[in-house]
Amino acid sequence: KDEFIVLLPLAARLSGKNVMISKTLQEVEKEVLEKISTTQYKDSGPEAALAVTIMHVLSKNRLLSDSSVDVFLEQAATWPSEDSMKESSIFYMDDSKIKSILNKSGLAVSLEFFPDFLKGIFELAVFPALKKYANSFIDFSLPSNKDFSLPIDKEFDTTSLAHRMAMWNTFVYAFSLVWSRAHGEKDRGPSIVPLIELCNGTSSIVDENKGKKKSDLNVMIGSGNGTVLPGGKFVPETDNPCSVLFATRDIDEGEELMLSYGPIFPSQFLIKYGTIPEALIAHHDIKQDISLWCNPSFIPDDPKRLKCLKNFGFPSQDYRNGKGHLIADLLTKYDLEKFQKGHEVDGIKKMRLFLILSTLADDSEISSFLTESQVPQGYDSKVLPLICKVIDYNLKLLTRDKSESSEDDVEKAKRADTPGWEKALLLGRVAYRENLLMWRHEFGKRGNMSHVDGIEVDLQNDIEKGALTCLANSGCTRCGRTYPTLVCSRCKKAKYCSREHQRLDWKKHKLNCKK
């Protein structure tokens, strides 16, 4: 514990400062940052600039015969190949791959954003800034560029779609490396650190409630002048700024070095690193953000109701066209925690309002809402079952096969012949499904699920018709999750997703538990 494993000067980091040292290169980097600062992608300027730096390192035709980047080619040799990145990077996942696993769910929509996001950065900032020196920012050795090779002395044709594609292929590969391997600092921006970037990492969530058990995390990164580790046991033997990888606990011989990526949840892990650790899926705190699409059956035809919905900020036409969310990325893991403690968050208030206006309020109430613009209140016993219906609809959107379960997805993800991208999406689907079920569990506890005046919400009948396997299987007694599944060893009836939830529920369960 506290001993250093790797010590590197900051000058060894692959960064714009250390690579783009000539005046011409600095002007190129500056132009990229200036162009992207005027776009909607301005927050991604540092990452885009580092990707351009990597593009230059990988190019065979360097500006001004710059040999200073040669030292970084040794680092580049440790990076995954383009083919490997295509198996994991979110920027290589096309719509067909995403929809084959995630269908039309809110998670699918959020993932489909990223390739378009990267294309926007390239078209608006990167290509305009680099086209004058294009040959110095293209890696013709990439498999995707094998047909685009160009003699060094030949001028790049900016009108050629093939040459433009060669630069695009290099940028996607470079940005994917930055996205998944760079470490950022407030003062210095992102960079790729030799050796240290080879360490794997996981979410700090998996370490929660470990008690006396050994932490999965065992190393941490520090940087600065004369860095002192916790406990003051190490001072770098240099006055120069440096990066250091040090042990946060005793590490056994042969044990993998594991960094903390912070308290990120499954979908964040999928987006950033193209994978999800199985330990994170099995953890009791699997909570993450979700988006709920509007169930078409709740969209009225009555012009008066439609006008009322519009007045309260619901574009009914968008909902009809499948373009709008009933809740647009507003239900976060923190919202669920608040809701479990009895607080109604903004996303739930919005959904409640929509269901009252579209379905529950009678004609006289709708007229009153139109004339007085008062916000409808109440309807608790009626609105909660309908919210469960909305969640059921989103569970169906998550998969094309209603018989698939989280256990099925995990088993398929473990198979050796399952491609990396498919494994990541399967585990992402597990996390998303289980979060929907946790929300449904909380609403179910609050509402009368057997009868609502004038509205058919016979959920048990839906289950008997085979609506969804995950609804037919009773989940964790405490949170509603269906994976993982543990059974009380005494009564053989109560189910739990983890030992932690069994422990938390014991005070209540022991009153009914029988040997």
Side-chain angles (χ1 to χ4, degrees):
K1 181 180 179 181
D2 292 340
E3 291 183 354
F4 76 93
I5 299 167
V6 177
L7 174 64
L8 295 165
L10 291 185
R13 287 181 175 228
L14 198 162
S15 65
K17 181 179 180 180
N18 294 334
V19 175
M20 312 289 267
I21 57 177
S22 72
K23 182 178 180 181
T24 304
L25 288 170
Q26 290 172 358
E27 288 176 353
V28 169
E29 182 182 40
K30 181 180 179 181
E31 186 175 355
V32 170
L33 290 170
E34 287 178 348
K35 287 184 179 299
I36 203 171
S37 68
T38 62
T39 73
Q40 60 183 311
Y41 312 111
K42 58 184 178 181
D43 291 340
S44 298
E47 288 81 7
L50 182 57
V52 168
T53 299
I54 292 174
M55 293 168 72
H56 181 60
V57 169
L58 295 176
S59 70
K60 302 300 183 183
N61 180 25
R62 310 254 172 70
L63 283 176
L64 307 179
S65 299
D66 185 4
S67 61
S68 63
V69 298
D70 289 345
V71 65
F72 296 106
L73 286 177
E74 293 185 26
Q75 182 180 356
T78 69
W79 296 337
S81 66
E82 184 185 37
D83 289 339
S84 295
M85 293 302 290
K86 287 181 177 180
E87 284 296 306
S88 61
S89 173
I90 188 66
F91 301 110
Y92 284 106
M93 289 189 191
D94 57 35
D95 290 356
S96 61
K97 285 183 176 180
I98 293 172
K99 289 180 179 177
S100 69
I101 305 298
L102 302 176
N103 199 24
K104 301 177 181 179
S105 63
L107 181 56
V109 172
S110 64
L111 296 186
E112 289 166 2
F113 158 82
F114 288 93
D116 292 338
F117 152 82
L118 197 61
K119 195 71 174 179
I121 293 176
F122 179 77
E123 296 292 345
L124 297 176
V126 173
F127 182 75
L130 301 189
K131 61 183 181 181
K132 183 178 179 181
Y133 307 103
N135 280 351
S136 297
F137 293 93
I138 295 177
D139 181 1
F140 286 113
S141 69
L142 290 177
S144 60
N145 285 343
K146 64 180 180 180
D147 296 328
F148 303 146
S149 185
L150 203 67
I152 290 178
D153 58 351
K154 186 174 180 179
E155 186 176 351
F156 183 87
D157 183 0
T158 58
T159 65
S160 167
L161 291 179
H163 294 168
R164 191 186 186 106
M165 181 60 70
M167 185 187 288
W168 163 249
N169 291 337
T170 307
F171 176 65
V172 176
Y173 176 64
F175 198 93
S176 296
L177 290 169
V178 172
W179 191 255
S180 60
R181 303 176 86 82
H183 294 281
E185 295 185 37
K186 290 182 179 179
D187 298 332
R188 299 186 179 92
S191 62
I192 297 185
V193 188
L195 299 180
I196 292 177
E197 58 102 0
L198 296 176
C199 293
N200 279 332
T202 189
S203 172
S204 60
I205 292 174
V206 301
D207 256 24
E208 294 176 3
N209 303 107
K210 279 251 177 181
K212 296 181 180 180
K213 292 183 179 180
K214 183 187 292 186
S215 168
D216 291 339
L217 307 171
N218 52 24
V219 290
M220 186 178 292
I221 300 174
S223 65
N225 284 32
T227 303
V228 180
L229 303 186
K233 294 186 178 181
F234 167 69
V235 179
E237 298 176 0
T238 174
D239 292 330
N240 296 321
C242 64
S243 300
V244 61
L245 184 73
F246 62 93
T248 57
R249 62 167 173 79
D250 293 345
I251 303 175
D252 297 330
E253 182 177 356
E255 186 178 349
E256 182 180 18
L257 303 184
M258 190 68 67
L259 288 163
S260 169
Y261 290 154
I264 63 175
F265 42 83
S267 64
Q268 289 177 312
F269 217 105
L270 168 61
I271 290 168
K272 188 70 173 175
Y273 303 107
T275 185
I276 299 176
E278 291 183 23
L280 187 55
I281 294 294
H283 195 268
H284 69 274
D285 186 10
I286 198 178
K287 294 188 288 292
Q288 66 172 52
D289 298 356
I290 62 170
S291 300
L292 296 180
W293 287 100
C294 176
N295 189 328
S297 66
F298 294 138
I299 300 174
D301 294 319
D302 178 44
K304 187 181 292 186
R305 286 184 185 273
L306 291 174
K307 182 178 180 181
C308 195
L309 283 169
K310 183 177 180 180
N311 288 354
F312 280 92
F314 297 100
S316 55
Q317 192 59 41
D318 281 353
Y319 287 118
R320 285 182 173 279
N321 295 335
K323 297 179 180 178
H325 283 100
L326 180 55
I327 302 174
D329 301 318
L330 290 178
L331 288 184
T332 69
K333 61 169 291 185
Y334 307 106
D335 288 335
L336 180 54
E337 292 167 359
K338 292 176 183 177
F339 192 70
Q340 288 169 334
K341 295 176 182 179
H343 304 289
E344 186 173 66
V345 296
D346 291 341
I348 302 304
K349 292 177 182 178
K350 179 181 177 182
M351 182 158 56
R352 173 195 292 271
L353 176 60
F354 179 90
L355 292 171
I356 290 173
L357 296 175
S358 69
T359 307
L360 295 175
D362 59 32
D363 290 343
S364 62
E365 289 172 317
I366 290 295
S367 298
S368 175
F369 297 151
L370 281 171
T371 56
E372 300 178 18
S373 297
Q374 63 184 43
V375 178
Q377 302 292 334
Y379 298 89
D380 284 4
S381 64
K382 296 181 178 181
V383 81
L384 289 173
L386 297 189
I387 292 177
C388 285
K389 282 277 195 176
V390 171
I391 294 177
D392 293 351
Y393 174 71
N394 281 266
L395 283 165
K396 293 176 183 178
L397 288 180
L398 190 57
T399 176
R400 295 173 180 176
D401 185 350
K402 63 186 178 183
S403 67
E404 289 173 325
S405 66
S406 291
E407 185 175 0
D408 295 334
D409 287 347
V410 172
E411 288 303 312
K412 187 174 182 180
K414 290 180 179 179
R415 284 167 35 182
D417 60 345
T418 301
W421 66 266
E422 186 175 357
K423 175 180 178 178
L425 293 178
L426 284 168
L427 295 180
R429 183 164 74 179
V430 170
Y432 206 79
R433 178 190 291 119
E434 299 305 320
N435 272 269
L436 287 170
L437 290 170
M438 284 191 285
W439 273 104
R440 192 182 193 280
H441 179 78
E442 292 302 316
F443 288 122
K445 289 194 301 186
R446 287 164 171 73
N448 174 9
M449 304 310 300
S450 61
H451 180 70
V452 176
D453 294 339
I455 301 173
E456 182 182 354
V457 286
D458 190 347
L459 300 181
Q460 185 59 39
N461 187 45
D462 283 349
I463 292 171
E464 291 170 355
K465 292 178 182 178
L468 285 166
T469 299
C470 59
L471 291 179
N473 298 328
S474 58
C476 174
T477 302
R478 183 170 180 84
C479 73
R481 282 177 59 182
T482 61
Y483 181 87
T485 300
L486 305 175
V487 180
C488 175
S489 60
R490 297 181 69 195
C491 68
K492 309 295 184 183
K493 294 180 179 180
K495 295 181 180 180
Y496 297 96
C497 68
S498 61
R499 298 291 183 191
E500 177 66 14
H501 277 193
Q502 184 179 25
R503 182 185 68 79
L504 293 172
D505 193 58
W506 175 242
K507 184 176 181 180
K508 178 181 177 181
H509 176 59
K510 68 180 180 180
L511 302 175
N512 300 314
C513 185
K514 297 180 180 180
K515 292 184 179 180

